[in-house]
């Protein structure tokens, strides 16, 4: 794992946005995996800023989001389709028909999950995936005890996940209990993984992910098996790491070092 520790949540987001931009510059028809959540808002803000200032295009990019709630229409303000349209897609030149999320309103949810998994394969897989981190170590909606070999499927959300996402709904009872999420194996098949975590509330999950044993108890720890994972942290999210000095030594200020 490449571990980059930046000064602030904003510089972590900027760095993540820079990586995503670079994938598109290097491969204009890149297939990107995308995430939602509060942390990503800043990342998308910078991606939009870079797009407006830059000389590159998302016109040939395809995107697949990690997950979607079951039961919410794309017009529901808390749905991930709505979030992506509002916070990224409508501000860049991506073709909306090339942006994919699972259909959480499907009549046959297991079939929809299989269709989504197959669609990723038909697109020749993900060149890069942007990931956030749940306080309980989840990636996508792969809650603790998810199989490390899992594929896109229906998942029951943990109580703590529903509580963490309550702010987007009027009442806890409105937070969906289920979601369709890419599986851990699906994520591990992406050519590059970029995970961003900021804030002290993520510090323990960060330790479990990077320094803990690989375990379904912390789904993000499966990234230890991925050859090209970059973890971008702010100081607060990195604060509990045991080998902090080493990570700073290898990448001072979270920067790449040319040997
Ligand atoms: C949700 C999403 C995840 C995201 C996580 C963290 O559960 N399904 O993809 O990484 O939240 O969100 P936040 O950035 O708001 O802490």
């Amino acid at each position: 794992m490449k571990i980059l520790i930046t000064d602030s949540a904003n510089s972590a987001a900027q760095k993540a946005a820079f990586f995503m931009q670079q994938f598109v510059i290097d491969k204009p028809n890149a297939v990107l995996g995308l995430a939602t959540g509060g942390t990503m808002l800043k990342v998308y803000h910078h991606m939009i800023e870079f797009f407006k200032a830059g000389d590159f295009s998302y016109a040939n990019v395809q995107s697949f989001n990690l997950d979607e709630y079951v039961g919410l229409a794309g017009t529901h303000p808390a749905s991930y389709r709505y979030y992506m349209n509002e916070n990224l897609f409508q501000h860049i030149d991506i073709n909306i028909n090339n942006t994919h999320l699972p259909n959480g309103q499907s009549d046959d949810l297991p079939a929809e999950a299989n269709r989504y998994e197959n669609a990723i394969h038909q697109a020749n897989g993900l060149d890069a995936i942007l990931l956030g981190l749940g306080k309980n170590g989840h990636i996508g909606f792969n809650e603790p005890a998810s199989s490390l070999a899992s594929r896109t499927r229906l998942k029951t959300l943990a109580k703590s996940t529903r509580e963490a996402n309550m702010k987007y709904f009027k009442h806890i009872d409105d937070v969906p209990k289920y979601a369709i999420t890419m599986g851990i194996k699906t994520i591990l098949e992406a050519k590059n993984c970029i995970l961003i975590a900021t804030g002290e509330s993520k510090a323990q999950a960060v330790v479990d992910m990077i320094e803990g044993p690989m375990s379904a108890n912390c789904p993000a720890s499966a990234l230890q098996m991925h050859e090209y994972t970059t973890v971008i942290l702010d100081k607060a999210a990195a604060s509990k790491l045991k080998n902090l000095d080493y990570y700073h030594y290898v990448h001072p200020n979270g920067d790449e070092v040319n040997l």
Side-chain angles (χ1 to χ4, degrees):
M1 281 178 168
K2 186 185 284 186
I3 298 153
L4 308 178
I5 302 166
T6 63
D7 259 358
S8 65
N10 189 51
S11 42
Q14 203 165 19
K15 203 172 268 296
F18 182 79
F19 275 103
M20 295 311 282
Q21 162 190 259
Q22 210 51 49
F23 287 121
V24 176
I25 291 172
D26 292 348
K27 188 176 177 190
N29 61 347
V31 182
L32 302 180
L34 298 175
T36 50
T39 314
M40 293 304 154
L41 290 174
K42 281 199 186 74
V43 178
Y44 294 144
H45 168 83
H46 288 295
M47 279 172 70
I48 294 165
E49 209 174 58
F50 291 160
F51 167 71
K52 290 187 173 157
D55 185 21
F56 68 102
S57 170
Y58 285 89
N60 295 314
V61 165
Q62 282 199 71
S63 73
F64 287 88
N65 263 76
L66 277 159
D67 43 20
E68 178 60 285
Y69 288 116
V70 164
L72 299 192
T75 48
H76 190 294
S79 74
Y80 286 164
R81 163 52 80 183
Y82 188 91
Y83 171 109
M84 290 308 299
N85 288 352
E86 287 290 306
N87 295 304
L88 182 65
F89 298 151
Q90 69 185 32
H91 305 284
I92 58 176
D93 68 343
I94 197 163
N95 177 345
I96 201 75
N97 297 321
N98 290 341
T99 67
H100 309 280
L101 284 93
N103 174 10
Q105 285 203 307
S106 168
D107 290 339
D108 187 344
L109 295 164
E112 168 59 11
N114 288 338
R115 182 201 66 78
Y116 198 72
E117 178 80 23
N118 290 335
I120 296 169
H121 288 279
Q122 272 158 21
N124 288 323
L126 304 169
D127 291 297
I129 188 162
L130 182 60
L131 299 165
L133 181 66
K135 285 181 199 160
N136 63 0
H138 74 214
I139 43 176
F141 270 135
N142 292 283
E143 301 287 27
S146 285
S147 160
L148 302 187
S150 52
R151 298 283 177 184
T152 305
R153 70 209 184 292
L154 193 57
K155 274 302 284 183
T156 306
L157 302 182
K159 189 163 170 271
S160 62
T161 300
R162 294 182 65 228
E163 283 165 1
N165 288 311
M166 202 173 104
K167 54 182 181 276
Y168 304 109
F169 295 84
K170 288 202 180 91
H171 191 270
I172 184 74
D173 292 339
D174 299 333
V175 185
K177 295 188 173 67
Y178 305 98
I180 293 180
T181 181
M182 280 186 204
I184 296 180
K185 189 80 178 265
T186 321
I187 295 169
L188 292 180
E189 281 175 357
K191 292 185 189 76
N192 297 276
C193 298
I194 306 289
L195 184 143
I196 171 169
T198 58
E200 221 204 313
S201 68
K202 303 289 173 72
Q204 188 55 48
V206 165
V207 172
D208 296 341
M209 167 177 68
I210 297 174
E211 297 179 337
M214 193 174 69
S215 157
N217 195 42
C218 175
S221 68
L223 294 168
Q224 293 174 17
M225 283 295 287
H226 194 282
E227 205 176 351
Y228 299 108
T229 288
T230 301
V231 177
I232 304 170
L233 305 171
D234 68 350
K235 276 189 194 154
S239 59
K240 293 189 176 161
L241 286 165
K242 207 171 86 192
N243 293 324
L244 198 52
D245 289 351
Y246 177 69
Y247 311 135
H248 279 302
Y249 172 68
V250 180
H251 294 289
N253 307 311
D255 288 333
E256 300 277 354
V257 176
N258 292 321
L259 299 177

